[in-house]
Amino acid sequence: MRSFALRFVVAVAIAALLVILALPLVALLFRVPPASLWHYIQQPIVIEALKLSLFTSVIATIAVATLGIPVAYLLATYHFRGKRLVEVLVELPIVLPPTVAGVGLLLAFGRAGIAGKALSALGLSIPFTTLAVILAQLFVATPYFISAVVAGLREVEPKYRDVAMTLRASPMHLFRRVLLPLALPSLLAGAAMSWARALGEFGATITFAGNLMGRTQTMPLAVYSALQSDLDSAVALAVLLILFSFAILAALRFAPWGAAIGGRDSDARRRGR
């Protein structure tokens, strides 16, 4: 009797959580018919926001990967004083409210900010520009990439590194020819997660870059703007973002490198144990 009650409680908890997660998505998907959805997607506000979101999120992801790989390599392979502090600093944007991140970026790169004064002297102003959108996306997306790459590098068997060292491979050669190929699935998974996070960024972007159509208005900001006057357009934009997010997660789970984030290959390995 006690076992049955426990199973019942667990089943109710699972069902309740799945309903809470699925119901808002179902409500959005059934709000606008597919024919109307196509009509709204062709609206200038949607096209402009979509183009800007894809452009800025791709550039931000490339920047995250370029700047994040050296940091991930450092954290994964070296022990040094202050390493824990660096790890906390790298992971802080995950738990930091995005609006706080936006205020921080404004105080750092704004005209009166720490770096903003020097940039202003060079005739460069970042806030409320497309570059500000990219910086905001880079700030919030970086931890997802670095965490994945660090985990991938740490999973590389030490024997491969030891063999390369006995052959007198330089650190750069070791990283480029041994560590990077073996950690490539984690790198791709981290890049995909970073891109998805950048694509959905809202709080830091609207605080640091504003909400200017064709310049800083990305898809999440366009949803917010449309919500003030045209609910159906806002729903169409939201559905489009859901489809993008679903495609990204499906690619992560079913791609050959999906094992890096617990996809089908890792599931199969666990079943085989």
Side-chain angles (χ1 to χ4, degrees):
M1 184 64 183
R2 184 178 297 177
S3 175
F4 173 78
L6 180 60
R7 290 181 182 179
F8 178 76
V9 170
V10 171
V12 170
I14 293 172
L17 181 59
L18 293 179
V19 168
I20 292 172
L21 293 176
L23 200 56
L25 304 180
V26 173
L28 284 171
L29 292 173
F30 281 91
R31 170 73 189 192
V32 180
S36 300
L37 179 64
W38 178 246
H39 167 73
Y40 286 116
I41 289 176
Q42 292 179 306
Q43 299 299 313
I45 183 174
V46 178
I47 294 175
E48 289 292 334
L50 180 60
K51 287 164 58 178
L52 185 65
S53 288
L54 291 176
F55 172 74
T56 56
S57 60
V58 168
I59 296 298
T61 303
I62 292 173
V64 166
T66 303
L67 302 175
I69 287 177
V71 178
Y73 177 73
L74 177 72
L75 294 176
T77 58
Y78 288 94
H79 297 281
F80 56 90
R81 185 175 296 178
K83 180 178 178 180
R84 294 289 177 86
L85 187 61
V86 174
E87 290 175 337
V88 170
L89 181 65
V90 167
E91 294 173 357
L92 189 60
I94 294 178
V95 298
L96 203 62
T99 49
V100 175
V103 173
L105 288 167
L106 202 55
L107 293 177
F109 298 103
R111 290 183 178 177
I114 297 173
K117 294 178 181 177
L119 293 173
S120 295
L122 298 173
L124 182 61
S125 179
I126 296 179
F128 308 107
T129 64
T130 302
L131 180 58
V133 177
I134 295 171
L135 269 179
Q137 293 175 342
L138 183 150
F139 185 87
V140 300
T142 294
Y144 297 89
F145 178 80
I146 292 182
S147 298
V149 177
V150 168
L153 290 173
R154 285 176 176 166
E155 287 182 357
V156 174
E157 291 286 344
K159 63 183 180 183
Y160 297 117
R161 191 180 310 165
D162 295 340
V163 170
M165 295 299 290
T166 57
L167 296 175
R168 297 184 179 181
S170 66
M172 179 58 72
H173 188 83
L174 169 66
F175 175 74
R176 189 166 55 86
R177 300 300 297 270
V178 179
L179 296 180
L180 191 59
L182 292 173
L184 188 60
S186 297
L187 192 149
L188 294 175
M193 291 299 293
S194 294
W195 181 63
R197 180 63 187 89
L199 193 65
E201 163 49 32
F202 176 83
T205 304
I206 198 170
T207 306
F208 183 45
N211 188 11
L212 308 173
M213 182 179 172
R215 189 176 180 185
T216 65
Q217 189 179 76
T218 57
M219 288 284 285
L221 272 62
V223 173
Y224 177 76
S225 296
L227 201 57
Q228 313 300 317
S229 57
D230 188 350
L231 179 61
D232 287 338
S233 292
V235 173
L237 282 162
V239 169
L240 199 58
L241 274 176
I242 290 174
L243 295 177
F244 267 110
S245 302
F246 182 84
I248 294 168
L249 288 177
L252 286 172
R253 290 291 173 182
F254 295 103
W257 36 269
I261 58 166
R264 57 178 182 175
D265 291 343
S266 62
D267 293 339
R269 282 202 300 269
R270 282 196 294 270
R271 286 195 297 269
R273 287 177 180 174

